[in-house]
Structures are given as structure tokens and as C-alpha cells.
Amino acid sequence: MRAAHECGVESAVAPHDPGLGRAARRSRGGNTYGEGNMLRSLGRIASVAAIWAAGQCTALAADFEWKMFTIYDVADKQTEWARGFAKDVQEATKGRLNIRVFAGSELPYKGVDVYRAISRRQVEIGHSPSGFIASDLPVVGATAMPFVCTDMAKFFSAGLPKVRALMDKAISDKFKATPIMHWAMPGQQIWSVPSIKVLADLKGKKIRTWNREQVETLDKLGATSASITTAEVTQALQLGTVDGAITAAINVNYWDWARILKNGYMFNITLSHEIISVNNQALAELPPDVRSAFDEVSARWEKKFRDEVFKLDGEAKSALVGRGMTLTEPTPDDAKKLRDITSEIGAKWAKANGEIGQKILAGLAEGCN
């Protein structure tokens, strides 16, 4: 429910009211009887006003108040999109469902915590890349296997449709949550302060990663890894805690990394599959008309998230080059070496994650290649 002060209750009992000040001044002259009458009158007026304001508050309050958490920070585009989604839900449900969006620095959750928070209903909606979710549910980590699916268009049109039902069921069974949007951040590259032109330049470097497969890949190349929350990566680069980080060009542009680094090694190891889900119990509590409106808005915003990513990826790369950054594509020999040394990572993962994991990985590979 909305806080009382949003509906005017606080103003109904205003401690700074000038009438109370005048009554107090008269009391200093000894007119206690008059003061008492006045204060009783003011009290009755305040009580009536408070009752009226409470009625107004009831009329304005949402039937359902939800919290939504995204790992992205306050000023990030992804958080802006989440707020736009929440606004459209409120309008589509005529104010009956209100969603408050919290960014990565506004609640004490790391990426790996998001789906745990949904399952405990600490938040009703959560957004996290599948790489973080895979810490507790490895089968959704198939999209993070190096080079299994790096083409966003193929992922949306062919790869994801083959495996979505399997992923959604696994998430519901594990976290008591229903995925409502699947989208992706584009190819994940290495952005670094020191120059990286060839694979050999990675030796001895410390790179921020966000899944275990990236850790394994860097280990094979002689680099070390660091796990740092999304909201803290920029500071880690500024302080030299890490030499670089794996992320997409969109993030690099919006986080203004061109101020602190000038190198992008475009090895395109994977997409970042992003999933937004709702606590099952919270979803079940919605009346049919509210649920229908919510589902319609969710489907529309899933497409919007995807469309925005395509547009912003091209714009970001152009902007970064315009600001003096060097984007280096791997040499043909390095590209082949990358695929060769990482091929066993996917095979080992499939063997460890049973029939469902194998089906998901095979479906992605078939759809994306």
C-alpha cells in the first residue's frame, strides 16, 4: 500500500500550523481555558482531515505493491528500461499493480543473490544474467558456453525458441519463479587498460569475469579472474584492482569507460543471456484481468528490450571508436585457438548437467549455427 504521506495524511496534522503557534503565544498570557478550547477544536479538525485523507489514500492505493531488482545501476539504460516497464504495468492495470524498481546499488544483492531473493519473495521481480543464475541452477548456464551462440539474431529467432520451455520449467522448479522476459546483451568482449592485441597479451592480466566458463577460458590463456559486482567494476578499473573486464560495448559506453581505458579485444566469447522472472506466488495472487494486462505488457517489453539492444550495440561501438578507443578483432589463428581450447568446456559441462543440460546445449548449438 502507498505510504500515508503520499496521500496527504501528514499535511492534515501539520505541527507547523500558524494557528497552533498563535494559541501557544496566547497561553503564555495565561489564557489556558481559551487555549484548551482552541486546541480541542483544532484536534477535531485535524481528526476529520486525517480521516478524509485516509479515505483518499485508500482510493489511490495500488492493490498489489511489488519490488523489482535489477543488477544494473541507477543510471544504466537497462534500469531505465525496467522503470519504463513498471510504468506501463501501472498504467495498463489502472494503478492496481505498482512495481518499485531498485537498481544494483540500492539493495544489498549481488548477481548470484537475485533469484534467491525472488524465491524467498524478498523481491517479487528480479533480473539477472543466466551466468549468475547458473551458480544455483547450472542448466541455464548453457548460453554461457564459449562460442556456442554468439549471434543475437539467431539466438532470438532459432536458438532460444528451442530451449525456452526447458529453461523456464527448470527456473520455476528451482526458484518458484516464472520467467517473463528473455533477452540478451550482445557479444562479450575484453575491455582493458593495458593493450591486448593478441591472445598472448592476456598472460598475467587480471580480468573481471561473470561466469565460471570465462574463468576457465582465461585460466587456459594464463590470465587470472576476479568476481566483482556490476556496480563496482568501474571503480575496480580506476583503482587498478583489475586490468580489464568482460562485458558488452553498450555497457562500456554507458559506464563511460573511455575515460579510463582505450582497448577492446573483440573475442566475442558469448552473449549475456538475461532473464527477468516473477515470484510464482505473487503472480498467482493477481486477478485474471490484472494478470492479463501484466502479461501483455511483459511480452511487449521483451521485444522492446531486444530491439533496444540491437540499436544500442552499433551506436556504442561507433561512439567508443569516436572517443579514441581501439577495437581489435582476433587474428584468424587466435580465433581458431580460442575455439579449440574452449571446445572441451562445453562438452564437459554437458556431461555434468544430465539430459536437460544436454538438450539445452544441443538446441542452442543447432539454432545458432
Side-chain angles (χ1 to χ4, degrees):
M1 301 293 284
R2 292 180 186 168
H5 68 267
E6 294 181 36
C7 303
V9 173
E10 285 185 354
S11 64
V13 194
H16 60 276
D17 184 88
L20 288 177
R22 287 191 294 270
R25 286 194 295 272
R26 280 196 297 272
S27 73
R28 286 194 291 267
N31 189 4
T32 54
Y33 177 78
E35 175 197 18
N37 284 340
M38 178 172 286
L39 288 174
R40 281 192 291 274
S41 297
L42 287 169
R44 285 193 292 270
I45 293 170
S47 297
V48 171
I51 293 169
W52 176 86
Q56 291 297 104
C57 190
T58 301
L60 293 172
D63 295 331
F64 303 92
E65 292 280 0
W66 286 3
K67 294 188 292 294
M68 176 178 181
F69 179 76
T70 174
I71 64 159
Y72 290 97
D73 213 352
V74 176
D76 291 340
K77 271 290 180 183
Q78 296 88 339
T79 304
E80 179 184 314
W81 300 340
R83 297 192 196 286
F85 161 68
K87 181 175 182 291
D88 277 6
V89 167
Q90 186 180 47
E91 291 175 355
T93 62
K94 297 180 172 59
R96 295 178 66 190
L97 173 55
N98 184 50
I99 301 171
R100 293 182 62 198
V101 177
F102 294 88
S105 59
E106 295 178 321
L107 289 179
Y109 302 129
K110 296 182 178 180
V112 295
D113 299 323
V114 177
Y115 273 69
R116 299 168 190 169
I118 300 172
S119 69
R120 298 172 188 138
R121 202 168 176 179
Q122 293 167 321
V123 297
E124 280 74 20
I125 308 182
H127 161 224
S128 179
S130 60
F132 288 133
I133 304 169
S135 297
D136 295 317
L137 184 62
V139 294
V140 301
T143 53
M145 293 305 107
F147 308 108
V148 69
C149 187
T150 58
D151 184 316
M152 277 201 304
K154 289 181 179 178
F155 174 67
F156 292 142
S157 65
L160 180 62
K162 288 180 177 293
V163 302
R164 183 169 187 162
L166 288 171
M167 283 191 171
D168 288 359
K169 184 178 187 305
I171 288 171
S172 182
D173 290 346
K174 176 67 177 179
F175 297 107
K176 303 179 180 63
T178 298
I180 56 170
M181 294 186 223
H182 289 260
W183 55 288
M185 289 296 286
Q188 302 292 291
Q189 325 294 357
I190 296 178
W191 307 88
S192 61
V193 176
S195 176
I196 296 173
K197 301 294 185 185
V198 295
L199 287 181
D201 293 337
L202 280 165
K203 188 173 182 179
K205 303 297 190 297
K206 188 173 185 179
I207 308 295
R208 183 262 186 169
T209 56
W210 50 263
N211 69 35
R212 66 189 66 183
E213 289 71 35
Q214 292 171 6
V215 174
E216 285 187 59
T217 300
L218 290 176
D219 184 59
K220 291 175 180 293
L221 297 169
T224 57
S225 304
S227 178
I228 302 170
T229 65
T230 303
E232 297 170 338
V233 179
T234 300
Q235 185 180 36
L237 287 165
Q238 290 172 322
L239 296 176
T241 307
V242 293
D243 297 303
I246 296 178
T247 191
I250 294 174
N251 292 335
V252 174
N253 191 37
Y254 279 100
W255 294 337
D256 201 21
W257 283 4
R259 294 181 298 107
I260 53 179
L261 56 82
K262 295 297 178 186
N263 305 284
Y265 185 66
M266 315 301 280
F267 75 156
N268 202 29
I269 188 171
T270 183
L271 302 174
S272 173
H273 177 204
E274 316 258 334
I275 308 174
I276 300 176
S277 298
V278 185
N279 176 275
N280 284 345
Q281 182 181 349
L283 202 56
E285 290 170 0
L286 299 180
D289 58 333
V290 176
R291 172 67 185 272
S292 178
F294 176 77
D295 288 345
E296 187 278 325
V297 173
S298 298
R300 179 155 43 85
W301 271 88
E302 180 179 67
K303 182 179 184 304
K304 185 175 177 65
F305 270 72
R306 295 177 182 185
D307 291 345
E308 287 293 317
V309 166
F310 276 114
K311 181 180 74 171
L312 291 177
D313 186 43
E315 292 175 355
K317 288 175 182 175
S318 295
L320 293 172
V321 170
R323 295 186 64 187
M325 290 191 69
T326 300
L327 309 187
T328 302
E329 297 288 340
T331 65
D333 285 347
D334 278 352
K336 182 180 184 305
K337 182 178 180 181
L338 274 168
R339 291 182 177 275
D340 288 346
I341 66 173
T342 58
S343 61
E344 67 181 51
I345 294 176
K348 183 176 67 174
W349 181 92
K351 185 177 181 180
N353 285 287
E355 182 182 0
I356 299 300
Q358 291 166 22
K359 284 183 178 180
I360 292 175
L361 187 62
L364 287 171
E366 181 183 343
C368 293
N369 297 289

